[in-house]
Amino acid sequence: MSSCEFESLEKCLETHLPEAELSEVKRILFGKETKKLDLPAAAVSAASERDFELQGFGFEASPEQLRPARRTRVGLIQNQIVLPTDAPILDQITAMHSRVGEMVEVAAMCGVNIVCFQETWTMPFAFCTREKEPWTEFAESAEEGNTTRFCQELAKKYNMVIISPILERDARHSTLWNTAVVISNTGNVLGKTRKNHIPRIGDFNESTYYMEGDSGHTVFQTQFGNIAVNICYGRHHPLNWFMFSMNGAEIIFNPSATVGALSEPMWSIEARNAAIANHCFTCAINRVGTETFKSEFTSGDGKKAHHDFGHFYGSSYVSAPDGSRSPGLSRTRDGLLVVEMDLNLNRQISDKWSFKMTGRYPEYAEELTEAVKHDFKPKVVKE
Amino acid sequence: MSSCEFESLEKCLETHLPEAELSEVKRILFGKETKKLDLPAAAVSAASERDFELQGFGFEASPEQLRPARRTRVGLIQNQIVLPTDAPILDQITAMHSRVGEMVEVAAMCGVNIVCFQETWTMPFAFCTREKEPWTEFAESAEEGNTTRFCQELAKKYNMVIISPILERDARHSTLWNTAVVISNTGNVLGKTRKNHIPRIGDFNESTYYMEGDSGHTVFQTQFGNIAVNICYGRHHPLNWFMFSMNGAEIIFNPSATVGALSEPMWSIEARNAAIANHCFTCAINRVGTETFKSEFTSGDGKKAHHDFGHFYGSSYVSAPDGSRSPGLSRTRDGLLVVEMDLNLNRQISDKWSFKMTGRYPEYAEELTEAVKHDFKPKVVKE
């Protein structure tokens, strides 16, 4: 399926546009050019051997007199599932651990400080089937599950913060959640954050499996920057990004699972708008490939039952607060995107553009409080 | 100056990309293709004689059983100033009336129902100079000024709603405002809306001239749809778009004045994100050309004093709630963009994506109310 998919917007432009025009097109589409990172040859060859794309880019900030640069390297991993969806569950999980583990090893060679995997990374995105079995068996404890333990080992081994989005089983409360576990580079579980907004669209009524998150807008202070995780559908909600930013997030990760026909033209817009509007970095990660299920299912669109629900188009990218963005990973292949960012850029851009100072938030707090009331009267002028 | 400017992203892609790839690139960049409108030959030739670009596109919605289609045509006008900035003020205003008047005539030939002009359309965007004289002389009464009277005549003549963004003098309160006057197709002044967020960046500290607007998020009910006006810098503030939407806006216009080096990579992102996030149409309008001033001025960037502050890059466009957008007008020429939209699309997309239902607004009202307090404690987890 993937082989007939269009590979990448960026590559297409680079192949066909004359140089002078290419640079204008890139400036208009992507903003100030991100410099290419010089990645170690060993990493480049390991990625090639392991058959995944490896790209590296850097966002720079101005030097300051009173603060040293605060350079952080993030790694975004997008990948296909490894085994068929009807393979034994433990085999599927183990195969994903192994695949992502070998990609994290390359991230470590590239000096990555914080790595984020795609949404519910240990499993196929099976929520389209609406079957509870066997998919809920993929759920694990955020604090003590095998996947968390696996990530803790990686974190310690590579001195890396790991964001591990999984299907969480909270046995104490008999609930399932769509959760990102944040593991410190010391190997400790720093905490978790649950998906705040749950889609009810097309194949995705995920509230069949889990409800809206109850963890608010937690920010995690790490040695490499203050981070937050806005899971998937939360990227459509500007207030979600905004509240993570108000709580001090310098980098907001958006691990996702979304397919072409549904969302692709929005993909390059939403996380980037959030970086601009909130003076922070955002990292959008989408899985890649087509996942086929044994049982057929319908999609509430009048069409025939089918066994897959489309192509996850990858295209993971990073946006900076100055409106620029990195190129995206491909639409078709596993990939690791390494991005170095100087976090000083956030405050520099905030001091330049001042959206937080010009935001009039106290007035919006009042207006929004009024607007959610049952007897809210919209302010409409009629002739 | 304009002649060496890059003309248009869209034209460049169409010139150089092979057809199959062009269609994938357009789908990823612009979403579902907007159909070209068949505009009357008389309009096309009038636009050509009057030396401005004329483009027409249409966004369609699905047919419904209980509601007829609600098709509206909007017109976006972008233009250069006509006379030099040191010409007599009344001559400058009259020349702008005349130029925009002849463009509106073509809009009428194209069946436009609602037309919107660029920010402070009767004058050069002189706020970079920080001189009060003579620029404040361009200010007029929103209700009774010559420009409003001029627009009332046009509105009646062409049965067209007119959004006329001007520098407003409120003589009763001895204040100036950056204001959009909304004139009904009957010729009545429906009301006005004032710029909610005032930039303080680079050449634009507009609070030298006018302060944050006091008109909230008014929506105007017209025969052709419920409209609102988010003036210029308000496009950087997602909450601003959001509150217009909460008050029922179906189309939000964003008359702007912004230059390449500052904002161009953000231009295609922000209004479009707002259309997606709020299930409505948004119309982004930027002036075009370079404006030269007699007195030199500095820009707070360590550089030498100069007489202009860059190229206004036009590129006016319309975004739809389904994530698609029209091509933009050129970066260099006066232009009229005619866009037909079926307003039924808003509710259809809202019913599909359900951002308003999944938005958890009561919780954000509480969180925001807390966040703006002086003793707000960000929710940060530390190791």
Side-chain angles (χ1 to χ4, degrees):
Chain A
M1 193 77 173
S2 294
S3 60
C4 59
E5 283 284 337
F6 180 72
E7 189 187 349
S8 147
L9 170 70
E10 291 80 351
K11 279 192 189 153
C12 173
L13 299 179
E14 276 169 15
T15 304
H16 294 292
L17 298 188
E19 201 163 327
E21 289 168 72
L22 178 63
S23 95
E24 271 298 87
V25 164
K26 280 181 156 182
R27 181 185 68 77
I28 292 171
L29 286 180
F30 303 135
K32 188 179 162 190
E33 195 170 350
T34 45
K35 73 164 203 275
K36 277 215 169 198
L37 283 187
D38 204 16
L39 299 176
V44 174
S45 82
S48 164
E49 277 160 28
R50 294 167 193 184
D51 193 21
F52 64 85
E53 183 185 11
L54 173 62
Q55 300 264 9
F57 300 97
F59 294 101
E60 289 171 338
S62 303
E64 298 183 19
Q65 295 190 34
L66 301 186
R67 295 195 305 179
R70 289 199 305 140
R71 291 203 186 86
T72 286
R73 283 198 178 192
V74 301
L76 279 51
I77 289 180
Q78 69 177 35
N79 59 287
Q80 305 178 53
I81 54 172
V82 179
L83 295 183
T85 59
D86 59 353
I89 287 174
L90 195 55
D91 292 355
Q92 289 190 57
I93 295 176
T94 305
M96 290 292 265
H97 284 188
S98 164
R99 177 57 167 164
V100 168
E102 69 180 10
M103 296 177 81
V104 171
E105 189 183 26
V106 175
M109 293 176 186
C110 297
V112 163
N113 305 117
I114 307 171
V115 72
C116 183
F117 310 149
Q118 65 203 18
E119 185 181 16
T120 62
W121 72 275
T122 63
M123 61 183 291
F125 210 73
F127 310 120
C128 52
T129 64
R130 301 188 289 285
E131 300 164 342
K132 297 279 174 132
E133 293 172 357
W135 313 116
T136 57
E137 287 202 61
F138 279 92
E140 300 183 42
S141 157
E143 291 77 16
E144 293 162 355
N146 282 336
T147 295
T148 295
R149 272 199 287 270
F150 172 75
C151 292
Q152 289 179 293
E153 290 307 313
L154 290 179
K156 274 188 289 192
K157 183 169 174 192
Y158 299 125
N159 189 35
M160 204 184 286
V161 172
I162 294 185
I163 300 169
S164 167
I166 60 168
L167 183 62
E168 179 197 1
R169 180 176 296 281
D170 179 346
R172 192 181 311 178
H173 298 97
S174 300
T175 46
L176 298 176
W177 302 91
N178 185 316
T179 299
V181 186
V182 179
I183 296 150
S184 164
N185 54 315
T186 61
N188 293 333
V189 175
L190 251 184
K192 64 187 174 188
T193 193
R194 288 167 170 167
K195 185 170 181 171
N196 275 330
H197 299 270
I198 305 299
R200 291 160 171 85
I201 170 170
D203 277 318
F204 298 95
N205 186 337
E206 297 170 25
S207 72
T208 298
Y209 299 89
Y210 39 80
M211 301 290 286
E212 277 75 9
D214 59 354
S215 54
H217 295 90
T218 306
V219 168
F220 301 93
Q221 186 183 85
T222 78
Q223 190 182 320
F224 310 113
N226 284 7
I227 63 177
V229 195
N230 173 351
I231 302 175
C232 196
Y233 185 75
R235 75 181 174 281
H236 304 300
H237 292 278
L239 278 162
N240 198 31
W241 297 100
F242 171 70
M243 281 310 307
F244 284 120
S245 168
M246 287 296 266
N247 281 287
E250 297 173 300
I251 313 169
I252 307 175
F253 293 87
N254 176 234
S256 297
T258 184
V259 291
L262 190 65
S263 67
E264 194 160 2
M266 306 174 174
W267 178 251
S268 64
I269 303 296
E270 293 163 313
R272 191 162 166 211
N273 191 74
I276 296 168
N278 299 298
H279 303 313
C280 66
F281 289 93
T282 61
C283 303
I285 303 159
N286 187 19
R287 64 174 60 205
V288 72
T290 302
E291 301 174 353
T292 308
F293 297 95
K294 197 170 153 188
S295 313
E296 64 179 4
F297 54 92
T298 54
S299 298
D301 57 1
K303 294 190 183 146
K304 287 213 164 189
H306 43 265
H307 293 268
D308 75 73
F309 61 118
H311 175 71
F312 293 100
Y313 51 81
S315 308
S316 304
Y317 70 101
V318 175
S319 289
D322 64 357
S324 64
R325 57 158 284 183
S326 78
L329 289 177
S330 90
R331 300 180 68 260
T332 53
R333 291 184 67 201
D334 288 9
L336 165 64
L337 179 64
V338 177
V339 172
E340 182 175 289
M341 48 187 67
D342 183 343
L343 296 177
N344 281 354
L345 188 62
N346 289 341
R347 198 176 82 178
Q348 290 171 12
I349 296 295
S350 179
D351 285 354
K352 178 179 176 189
W353 279 96
S354 306
F355 296 154
K356 290 276 183 0
M357 283 208 294
T358 57
R360 308 184 74 178
Y361 301 133
E363 291 166 60
Y364 284 105
E366 283 178 32
E367 278 190 74
L368 185 52
T369 303
E370 281 308 304
V372 298
K373 291 182 180 164
H374 284 175
D375 62 352
F376 167 58
K377 290 204 175 41
K379 192 170 171 183
V380 179
V381 172
K382 299 173 191 181
E383 193 156 8
Chain B
M1 192 78 175
S2 295
S3 60
C4 60
E5 283 285 336
F6 180 72
E7 190 187 347
S8 147
L9 170 70
E10 291 80 351
K11 278 192 190 155
C12 174
L13 299 179
E14 277 169 14
T15 305
H16 295 291
L17 298 188
E19 201 162 326
E21 290 170 69
L22 178 63
S23 94
E24 271 298 87
V25 165
K26 280 180 156 181
R27 181 184 68 77
I28 292 171
L29 286 180
F30 303 135
K32 187 179 164 190
E33 195 170 351
T34 45
K35 73 162 203 274
K36 278 215 172 198
L37 283 187
D38 205 16
L39 299 176
V44 173
S45 83
S48 164
E49 276 160 28
R50 294 166 193 184
D51 193 21
F52 64 86
E53 184 185 10
L54 173 62
Q55 299 264 9
F57 300 97
F59 294 101
E60 289 171 338
S62 303
E64 298 183 20
Q65 295 190 33
L66 301 186
R67 296 194 305 178
R70 291 200 303 140
R71 291 202 185 87
T72 285
R73 284 199 177 192
V74 301
L76 279 51
I77 289 181
Q78 68 176 36
N79 59 287
Q80 304 178 54
I81 54 173
V82 179
L83 295 182
T85 59
D86 59 354
I89 287 172
L90 194 56
D91 293 354
Q92 289 189 57
I93 295 176
T94 305
M96 290 292 265
H97 284 189
S98 164
R99 176 59 167 162
V100 168
E102 69 181 10
M103 296 177 81
V104 172
E105 189 182 27
V106 175
M109 293 175 187
C110 297
V112 163
N113 305 116
I114 306 170
V115 71
C116 182
F117 310 149
Q118 65 203 21
E119 186 182 16
T120 62
W121 71 276
T122 63
M123 61 183 292
F125 210 72
F127 310 119
C128 52
T129 65
R130 299 189 292 285
E131 301 163 343
K132 298 280 173 133
E133 294 172 354
W135 314 115
T136 57
E137 287 201 60
F138 280 92
E140 300 182 42
S141 158
E143 291 76 17
E144 294 163 354
N146 281 336
T147 295
T148 295
R149 272 198 287 270
F150 172 75
C151 292
Q152 290 178 291
E153 290 308 312
L154 290 178
K156 275 187 288 192
K157 184 170 173 188
Y158 299 125
N159 188 35
M160 203 184 285
V161 172
I162 295 185
I163 300 169
S164 167
I166 61 167
L167 184 62
E168 178 197 4
R169 180 175 296 282
D170 179 345
R172 193 181 310 178
H173 299 96
S174 300
T175 47
L176 298 177
W177 302 92
N178 184 316
T179 299
V181 186
V182 179
I183 295 150
S184 164
N185 54 315
T186 61
N188 292 334
V189 175
L190 251 184
K192 64 187 175 188
T193 194
R194 288 166 170 168
K195 185 170 180 170
N196 275 330
H197 299 271
I198 305 299
R200 290 158 170 88
I201 170 170
D203 277 318
F204 297 95
N205 186 336
E206 297 171 25
S207 72
T208 298
Y209 298 90
Y210 40 80
M211 301 291 286
E212 278 74 9
D214 59 355
S215 54
H217 296 90
T218 305
V219 168
F220 301 92
Q221 186 183 84
T222 79
Q223 191 183 321
F224 310 113
N226 284 6
I227 62 176
V229 195
N230 173 351
I231 303 175
C232 196
Y233 185 76
R235 77 181 172 280
H236 304 301
H237 292 277
L239 278 162
N240 198 31
W241 297 101
F242 171 70
M243 281 311 309
F244 284 120
S245 168
M246 288 295 268
N247 281 286
E250 297 175 298
I251 313 168
I252 307 175
F253 292 87
N254 176 236
S256 297
T258 184
V259 292
L262 190 64
S263 68
E264 193 160 2
M266 305 176 177
W267 178 251
S268 64
I269 304 297
E270 293 162 313
R272 191 163 166 209
N273 192 75
I276 296 168
N278 299 297
H279 303 313
C280 66
F281 288 93
T282 61
C283 303
I285 304 159
N286 186 20
R287 63 173 62 205
V288 72
T290 302
E291 301 175 353
T292 307
F293 298 94
K294 197 169 155 191
S295 313
E296 64 178 5
F297 55 92
T298 55
S299 297
D301 57 2
K303 293 189 183 147
K304 287 213 166 191
H306 42 266
H307 293 268
D308 75 73
F309 61 117
H311 175 73
F312 293 100
Y313 52 81
S315 308
S316 304
Y317 71 100
V318 174
S319 289
D322 64 357
S324 65
R325 56 156 286 183
S326 77
L329 288 176
S330 91
R331 301 181 68 260
T332 54
R333 291 184 69 201
D334 288 9
L336 165 64
L337 179 65
V338 177
V339 172
E340 182 175 288
M341 49 187 68
D342 183 344
L343 296 177
N344 281 355
L345 188 62
N346 289 341
R347 198 176 82 178
Q348 290 172 11
I349 296 294
S350 178
D351 285 353
K352 178 180 176 188
W353 279 95
S354 307
F355 296 154
K356 289 277 183 0
M357 283 208 294
T358 57
R360 308 184 75 178
Y361 301 134
E363 292 166 60
Y364 284 105
E366 282 176 33
E367 279 191 73
L368 185 53
T369 302
E370 282 308 303
V372 297
K373 290 182 181 165
H374 283 175
D375 62 351
F376 167 59
K377 289 203 177 43
K379 190 170 172 183
V380 179
V381 172
K382 299 173 191 181
E383 191 155 8

